[in-house]
Amino acid sequence: GEDVEQSLFLSVREGDSSVINCTYTDSSSTYLYWYKQEPGAGLQLLTYIFSNMDMKQDQRLTVLLNKKDKHLSLRIADTQTGDSAIYFCAEIPISGGYQKVTFGTGTKLQVIP
Amino acid sequence: GAVVSQHPSWVICKSGTSVKIECRSLDFQATTMFWYRQFPKQSLMLMATSNEGSKATYEQGVEKDKFLINHASLTLSTLTVTSAHPEDSSFYICSAPTDTGVYTQYFGPGTRLTVL
């Protein structure tokens, strides 16, 4: 089955950029997502990218996709303390109908004031 | 974006009782909803796929008689944890897919279940 891996922890200083990395194994066309989870809360969809794209930018967020290496990254510019949370990458293979989401292990981002 | 709500947000119950958790899509219809379980500091584990008007599909290792799912309408799915035990204590999250040109899933805020 699909496997999605992330580093567990990242610590950055406020104002710096954060880069959260993710690797996946599915080789078919797929949607790739980044979700944010604050303590005790559900998941908030941040952004997504389709596997035929290389990059997507949305305000402070930049998603980079290296399809050859199956590597996905989320860059947060000017990281703020409110960005402290757990970030999950997720993929959904496209093969018709509703597909199951495979989540990464989650990366806890700690922003130091 | 689309909104998915859950009720209750947290519940404490005694061992042996049953607990019902509701998942609602507030501004869209969802023929399919998903139920996840999340243990502390861990990722989400898919428990089952809830299908409106038909039986739920359970993931391997999830007891269907333990976790009863009912998807009675296009906006409501319920998960009932029957005869709950302390090991059932967890964070339960539902999600519903929407198709607005891009396939995405929107998640509920989660329900914290504590079984004493």
Side-chain angles (χ1 to χ4, degrees):
Chain A
E2 299 83 10
D3 192 21
V4 182
E5 298 286 340
Q6 297 177 239
S7 53
L8 293 179
F9 186 77
L10 175 66
S11 180
V12 299
R13 292 202 175 275
E14 188 174 19
D16 289 349
S17 293
S18 307
V19 179
I20 302 171
N21 296 302
C22 171
T23 57
Y24 62 99
T25 58
D26 195 284
S27 59
S28 61
S29 296
T30 185
Y31 283 113
L32 295 153
Y33 303 83
W34 283 103
Y35 286 92
K36 175 184 180 183
Q37 185 179 35
E38 298 185 32
L43 275 68
Q44 174 193 353
L45 176 64
L46 291 178
T47 187
Y48 63 89
I49 190 169
F50 189 53
S51 56
N52 67 351
M53 300 166 65
D54 298 322
M55 186 186 85
K56 181 179 181 180
Q57 187 161 0
D58 184 1
Q59 298 182 333
R60 292 192 297 124
L61 305 178
T62 302
V63 179
L64 294 177
L65 176 61
N66 182 327
K67 191 175 181 180
K68 174 177 174 289
D69 295 337
K70 297 186 178 65
H71 182 266
L72 181 75
S73 68
L74 174 69
R75 179 177 180 270
I76 305 174
D78 187 24
T79 312
Q80 303 297 306
T81 55
D83 295 325
S84 293
I86 299 176
Y87 291 80
F88 291 96
C89 66
E91 70 163 332
I92 300 176
I94 304 303
S95 58
Y98 293 129
Q99 298 296 316
K100 298 172 186 175
V101 182
T102 299
F103 284 94
T105 46
T107 299
K108 183 175 183 178
L109 173 64
Q110 179 188 53
V111 181
I112 304 169
Chain B
V3 177
V4 175
S5 71
Q6 281 184 242
H7 177 81
S9 55
W10 59 271
V11 57
I12 302 173
C13 69
K14 292 182 179 180
S15 186
T17 60
S18 294
V19 175
K20 180 186 284 188
I21 303 170
E22 293 184 348
C23 177
R24 292 183 185 272
S25 56
L26 296 185
D27 51 0
F28 66 100
Q29 294 182 333
T31 55
T32 301
M33 291 182 176
F34 299 93
W35 286 96
Y36 296 85
R37 185 173 181 177
Q38 185 181 30
F39 290 105
K41 299 182 181 180
Q42 293 189 25
S43 189
L44 280 74
M45 180 192 79
L46 179 66
M47 298 175 66
T49 303
S50 172
N51 304 298
E52 188 269 335
S54 64
K55 292 181 179 179
T57 304
Y58 290 82
E59 294 300 298
Q60 190 173 8
V62 178
E63 300 176 60
K64 62 180 180 180
D65 295 329
K66 172 77 171 175
F67 299 99
L68 299 179
I69 291 174
N70 187 320
H71 196 147
S73 76
L74 289 172
T75 59
L76 173 64
S77 175
T78 60
L79 168 68
T80 301
V81 182
T82 63
S83 186
H85 291 284
E87 57 265 31
D88 298 324
S89 299
S90 190
F91 195 53
Y92 292 88
I93 303 177
C94 69
S95 74
T98 68
D99 185 358
T100 56
V102 174
Y103 177 73
T104 58
Q105 285 196 24
Y106 290 93
F107 287 80
T111 297
R112 172 75 60 193
L113 171 63
T114 301
V115 184
L116 302 177

mmCIF file with all atom_site columns, all heavy atoms in Angstrom, chain A residues 4 40 54 93 101:
data_model
loop_
_atom_site.group_PDB
_atom_site.id
_atom_site.type_symbol
_atom_site.label_atom_id
_atom_site.label_alt_id
_atom_site.label_comp_id
_atom_site.label_asym_id
_atom_site.label_entity_id
_atom_site.label_seq_id
_atom_site.pdbx_PDB_ins_code
_atom_site.Cartn_x
_atom_site.Cartn_y
_atom_site.Cartn_z
_atom_site.occupancy
_atom_site.B_iso_or_equiv
_atom_site.pdbx_formal_charge
_atom_site.auth_seq_id
_atom_site.auth_comp_id
_atom_site.auth_asym_id
_atom_site.auth_atom_id
_atom_site.pdbx_PDB_model_num
ATOM 1  N N   . VAL A 1 4   ? 3.610  7.125  3.445   1.00 0.00 ? 4   VAL A N   1
ATOM 2  C CA  . VAL A 1 4   ? 3.958  8.540  3.452   1.00 0.00 ? 4   VAL A CA  1
ATOM 3  C C   . VAL A 1 4   ? 4.770  8.821  4.696   1.00 0.00 ? 4   VAL A C   1
ATOM 4  O O   . VAL A 1 4   ? 4.330  8.525  5.810   1.00 0.00 ? 4   VAL A O   1
ATOM 5  C CB  . VAL A 1 4   ? 2.684  9.420  3.436   1.00 0.00 ? 4   VAL A CB  1
ATOM 6  C CG1 . VAL A 1 4   ? 3.050  10.887 3.385   1.00 0.00 ? 4   VAL A CG1 1
ATOM 7  C CG2 . VAL A 1 4   ? 1.800  9.056  2.251   1.00 0.00 ? 4   VAL A CG2 1
ATOM 8  N N   . GLY A 1 40  ? -5.670 19.533 20.091  1.00 0.00 ? 40  GLY A N   1
ATOM 9  C CA  . GLY A 1 40  ? -7.066 19.266 20.416  1.00 0.00 ? 40  GLY A CA  1
ATOM 10 C C   . GLY A 1 40  ? -8.052 19.630 19.327  1.00 0.00 ? 40  GLY A C   1
ATOM 11 O O   . GLY A 1 40  ? -9.267 19.658 19.574  1.00 0.00 ? 40  GLY A O   1
ATOM 12 N N   . ASP A 1 54  ? 4.715  21.195 -10.408 1.00 0.00 ? 54  ASP A N   1
ATOM 13 C CA  . ASP A 1 54  ? 5.998  21.252 -9.723  1.00 0.00 ? 54  ASP A CA  1
ATOM 14 C C   . ASP A 1 54  ? 5.964  22.148 -8.491  1.00 0.00 ? 54  ASP A C   1
ATOM 15 O O   . ASP A 1 54  ? 6.676  21.911 -7.523  1.00 0.00 ? 54  ASP A O   1
ATOM 16 C CB  . ASP A 1 54  ? 7.091  21.785 -10.659 1.00 0.00 ? 54  ASP A CB  1
ATOM 17 C CG  . ASP A 1 54  ? 7.296  20.891 -11.852 1.00 0.00 ? 54  ASP A CG  1
ATOM 18 O OD1 . ASP A 1 54  ? 7.227  19.657 -11.680 1.00 0.00 ? 54  ASP A OD1 1
ATOM 19 O OD2 . ASP A 1 54  ? 7.529  21.422 -12.955 1.00 0.00 ? 54  ASP A OD2 1
ATOM 20 N N   . PRO A 1 93  ? -4.629 8.832  -4.216  1.00 0.00 ? 93  PRO A N   1
ATOM 21 C CA  . PRO A 1 93  ? -4.406 8.439  -5.612  1.00 0.00 ? 93  PRO A CA  1
ATOM 22 C C   . PRO A 1 93  ? -5.669 8.636  -6.432  1.00 0.00 ? 93  PRO A C   1
ATOM 23 O O   . PRO A 1 93  ? -6.785 8.447  -5.933  1.00 0.00 ? 93  PRO A O   1
ATOM 24 C CB  . PRO A 1 93  ? -4.041 6.947  -5.502  1.00 0.00 ? 93  PRO A CB  1
ATOM 25 C CG  . PRO A 1 93  ? -4.626 6.500  -4.216  1.00 0.00 ? 93  PRO A CG  1
ATOM 26 C CD  . PRO A 1 93  ? -4.629 7.688  -3.307  1.00 0.00 ? 93  PRO A CD  1
ATOM 27 N N   . VAL A 1 101 ? -7.549 8.452  2.026   1.00 0.00 ? 101 VAL A N   1
ATOM 28 C CA  . VAL A 1 101 ? -6.415 9.326  2.280   1.00 0.00 ? 101 VAL A CA  1
ATOM 29 C C   . VAL A 1 101 ? -5.343 8.551  3.026   1.00 0.00 ? 101 VAL A C   1
ATOM 30 O O   . VAL A 1 101 ? -5.634 7.851  3.987   1.00 0.00 ? 101 VAL A O   1
ATOM 31 C CB  . VAL A 1 101 ? -6.845 10.541 3.120   1.00 0.00 ? 101 VAL A CB  1
ATOM 32 C CG1 . VAL A 1 101 ? -5.665 11.473 3.338   1.00 0.00 ? 101 VAL A CG1 1
ATOM 33 C CG2 . VAL A 1 101 ? -7.990 11.279 2.461   1.00 0.00 ? 101 VAL A CG2 1
#
